[in-house]
Amino acid sequence: MKTVAIVDYGMGNLRSVSQAVQHVAKGLPWRVVVTSDAKQVREADRIVLPGQGAMPDCMRELRDSGLQDAVLQAAGAQARDGKPLFGVCVGMQMLLDRSEEGETQGLALIAGDVRRFQLDGQIQPDGSRYKVPHMGWNTVHQVVHDGRPHPLWAGIADGAAFYFVHSFYAQPSEGRNTAGRTEYGVTFASAIARDTIFATQFHPEKSAAAGLVLYRNFLDWRP
């Protein structure tokens, strides 16, 4: 039996994430655990790093809980040597170098920054003003690298809708690390990836069937 560890450092949407992963793991040789135990995180076969709220708080709690080093170790000194890791929402932003939110340093597993939406005065196609946070359903356009989209998009239509709640967005330094793009006043990276890491700004666990397919693909992924 292999283990998926959902990292509990006090800031993630743990119940809905764990329920979604447990749902797609039914009938498969996977054990899903929500854990604040660093040893369990290091020894797991796959890692899910959720996050919600402010990134400075998330990074502080991850560090103070003693789980930051365990996540970095599980991800590998070089991502290509690590175990598969799925970041969700602020858990995605934490993978980058730094954030404008409190000038916070991230885990630096994927090069790039987290930017604040600057949408004052901009008008949406329907005539309404853009609001921050960006909240609700929006489409994700899969980015093709080496002739194909990322393997975790298997069975998901390009342009499928997912559920977002965020005021900041990821800006990877290298285009090859963008796996999905979304439009909301600006074009931003709604999914990022590198080697054994995949992460989404949206919440798969709140995104109906397409989100469940994404989590199932994560369990099946052989990076």
Side-chain angles (χ1 to χ4, degrees):
M1 185 73 71
K2 295 174 287 186
T3 300
V4 182
I6 300 172
V7 184
D8 178 8
Y9 58 100
M11 296 296 294
N13 190 16
L14 297 173
R15 179 175 172 80
S16 58
V17 172
S18 63
Q19 286 182 333
V21 178
Q22 287 170 349
H23 178 79
V24 300
K26 286 180 181 177
L28 300 176
W30 285 100
R31 181 172 68 104
V32 181
V33 297
V34 176
T35 182
S36 57
D37 185 312
K39 183 174 183 288
Q40 211 167 22
V41 171
R42 287 194 300 269
E43 295 179 351
D45 299 283
R46 274 164 167 66
I47 311 296
V48 178
L49 181 65
Q52 64 181 13
M55 184 162 157
D57 296 336
C58 288
M59 287 302 303
R60 183 188 65 249
E61 293 299 321
L62 184 67
R63 180 181 63 252
D64 292 352
S65 68
L67 290 167
Q68 178 170 312
D69 288 344
V71 170
L72 288 170
Q73 184 177 340
Q78 297 292 328
R80 69 181 65 89
D81 300 323
K83 299 172 182 179
L85 183 151
F86 196 126
V88 182
C89 195
V90 180
M92 165 181 163
Q93 297 175 6
M94 293 163 70
L95 301 177
L96 299 171
D97 292 319
R98 67 193 64 82
S99 174
E100 290 183 346
E101 188 174 16
E103 298 301 321
T104 306
Q105 297 300 306
L107 297 172
L109 289 168
I110 295 179
D113 299 321
V114 179
R115 306 290 189 191
R116 183 190 297 271
F117 280 117
Q118 301 289 347
L119 302 176
D120 290 350
Q122 293 192 42
I123 304 299
Q124 299 192 65
D126 65 2
S128 64
R129 292 183 180 275
Y130 282 100
K131 296 179 180 179
V132 178
H134 169 216
M135 182 181 299
W137 294 86
N138 204 342
T139 55
V140 174
H141 301 284
Q142 300 167 17
V143 176
V144 173
H145 297 293
D146 300 323
R148 63 185 180 88
H150 194 280
L152 262 67
W153 294 126
I156 299 172
D158 187 24
F162 293 87
Y163 191 82
F164 292 82
V165 183
H166 62 120
S167 300
F168 293 78
Y169 62 90
Q171 189 175 69
S173 298
E174 300 184 32
R176 64 182 179 178
N177 294 143
T178 297
R181 293 193 181 100
T182 295
E183 303 281 342
Y184 190 71
V186 296
T187 301
F188 66 90
S190 50
I192 60 175
R194 176 187 170 210
D195 302 310
T196 61
I197 294 173
F198 187 90
T200 63
Q201 181 62 69
F202 55 83
H203 290 270
E205 69 281 358
K206 297 180 180 179
S207 298
L212 293 177
V213 172
L214 200 56
Y215 278 140
R216 173 61 184 262
N217 289 345
F218 176 63
L219 297 184
D220 292 338
W221 188 25
R222 299 291 182 269

